[in-house]
Amino acid sequence: MTSPTRPRIHPTAIIDPTAEVHPTAEIGPHCLVGPHCLVGPRVCLYPQAMLLGWTELGEGCEVYPGAMLGGAPQDRKYKGEPTHLSIGARTSIRECVTIHRATGDGQETQVGQDSMIMAYAHIGHNCCIGKNVTLANNAGVSGHAIIGDYANIGGYVGIHQYARIGTLAMIGGMSKVCRDIPPYALADGRPAQVVGVNSIGLRRAGLSQEAQAALKDAFRLIYRSGLNLSQALARVREGVHQCEEVQRLVNFLEEVFKGYGGRARDPRGHGA
């Protein structure tokens, strides 16, 4: 009988002596918990899940068979310095997902709480993934990308390094994201282009009718009026209700000006 004060660890699992495993965690057959890992309360590692090192799993996370978390970054600049991977509470990591640690001494790759990372998806080094994000099967997120809270990334999507995906954006399956996608947008295509407002996502998130209407007005000015971006943003500031969501959209798009190809954080950009 398993002691309530000790983790339920299958005898075939390998646990590094420097790892910390919470007493309520469950670790299945043939799992690996590598050096300096932290496995939180009620975490479940299904058979053959692997934490390769320097990885923290928040309370209630699930890691499915074949997933490999905390591997060294696929980055020529990486020289073996200590870096980390942090995954928030209640996040589900499905089969054969790979998520890598960061590049740069003490840096961290982050995945927020309550997210779902579906089978065979990949998250590269130094990425910052928000809370309640859905990353569908086989999606690939390149290094240093940022994905905002409640974003929904379709299957087989490829996201360029340093790209930003805003809050509550939705990216259609098989899209190629090589520039920033603003908050609340619905984007699709190769390369991905904004095709409208993520209306279904806004309703599901419980945004007020006033905020939804203001966002639709803003998107019409920015993407349907024929104005350039500077002119459109000026019109949005003057003529659209300035709720929190519209302000977030405007602030995001203003930062795009600083970047290369619409990626505000790309080191080749003018603002880097």
Side-chain angles (χ1 to χ4, degrees), residues 45 83 88 123 128 148 174 192 195 201 208 222-223:
L45 302 185
T83 60
I123 297 173
C128 183
M174 303 184 73
V195 297
S208 68
I222 295 166
Y223 295 104

Side-chain angles (χ1 to χ4, degrees), residues 38 83 85 99 169 219 266 268:
L38 180 59
T83 60
L85 166 63
I99 308 178
F219 270 79
D266 193 312
R268 294 172 293 179

Side-chain angles (χ1 to χ4, degrees), residues 14 22 39 43 45 52 65 67 82 84 102 105 139 172 200 209 233 268:
I14 299 173
H22 192 274
V39 179
V43 167
L45 302 185
L52 298 181
H84 304 86
D105 190 18
I200 294 175
Q209 292 294 326
L233 291 180
R268 294 172 293 179

Side-chain angles (χ1 to χ4, degrees), residues 72-84:
Q74 297 177 134
D75 185 355
R76 295 180 184 274
K77 299 187 300 296
Y78 182 67
K79 304 301 180 184
E81 64 271 17
T83 60
H84 304 86

Side-chain angles (χ1 to χ4, degrees), residues 7-254:
R8 293 174 289 177
I9 300 176
H10 193 274
T12 62
I14 299 173
I15 312 296
D16 189 275
T18 63
E20 298 182 27
V21 180
H22 192 274
T24 59
E26 183 171 358
I27 299 178
H30 305 288
C31 288
L32 171 66
V33 179
H36 305 287
C37 288
L38 180 59
V39 179
R42 291 180 292 281
V43 167
C44 181
L45 302 185
Y46 290 98
Q48 298 180 329
M50 295 188 180
L51 311 182
L52 298 181
W54 304 93
T55 296
E56 178 178 351
L57 294 179
E59 179 176 0
C61 286
E62 295 182 310
V63 184
Y64 281 74
M68 300 182 69
L69 310 181
Q74 297 177 134
D75 185 355
R76 295 180 184 274
K77 299 187 300 296
Y78 182 67
K79 304 301 180 184
E81 64 271 17
T83 60
H84 304 86
L85 166 63
S86 174
I87 297 177
R90 298 173 301 278
T91 286
S92 179
I93 310 291
R94 296 305 302 250
E95 297 83 358
C96 300
V97 164
T98 54
I99 308 178
H100 290 165
R101 292 182 285 112
T103 291
D105 190 18
Q107 297 298 305
E108 185 173 74
T109 301
Q110 299 177 348
V111 179
Q113 66 184 36
D114 297 302
S115 293
M116 176 175 283
I117 314 300
M118 297 187 190
Y120 292 91
H122 171 72
I123 297 173
H125 60 87
N126 299 84
C127 286
C128 183
I129 310 299
K131 66 182 180 182
N132 289 91
V133 168
T134 300
L135 197 68
N137 302 75
N138 292 93
V141 185
S142 298
H144 299 276
I146 293 177
I147 300 180
D149 298 344
Y150 298 95
N152 192 322
I153 312 300
Y156 293 88
V157 167
I159 299 176
H160 196 283
Q161 61 262 35
Y162 291 99
R164 298 182 302 156
I165 311 295
T167 298
L168 265 170
M170 182 170 183
I171 314 297
M174 303 184 73
S175 293
K176 173 186 176 182
V177 179
C178 52
R179 61 185 301 125
D180 295 351
I181 302 298
Y184 315 112
L186 177 64
D188 193 33
R190 294 179 54 83
Q193 304 287 338
V194 173
V195 297
V197 181
N198 182 16
S199 300
I200 294 175
L202 302 187
R203 291 198 297 272
R204 288 177 176 172
L207 268 66
S208 68
Q209 292 294 326
E210 184 179 46
Q212 292 184 50
L215 283 170
K216 289 177 181 178
D217 289 341
F219 270 79
R220 276 194 291 269
L221 283 169
I222 295 166
Y223 295 104
R224 297 288 182 267
S225 65
L227 301 171
N228 66 37
L229 184 56
S230 296
Q231 294 168 336
L233 291 180
R235 290 279 299 277
V236 170
R237 293 189 200 94
E238 295 166 0
V240 176
H241 172 60
Q242 294 297 296
C243 60
E244 176 185 350
E245 291 79 11
V246 168
Q247 292 174 358
R248 179 180 289 118
L249 173 65
V250 170
N251 292 341
F252 184 101
L253 289 171
E254 286 177 334

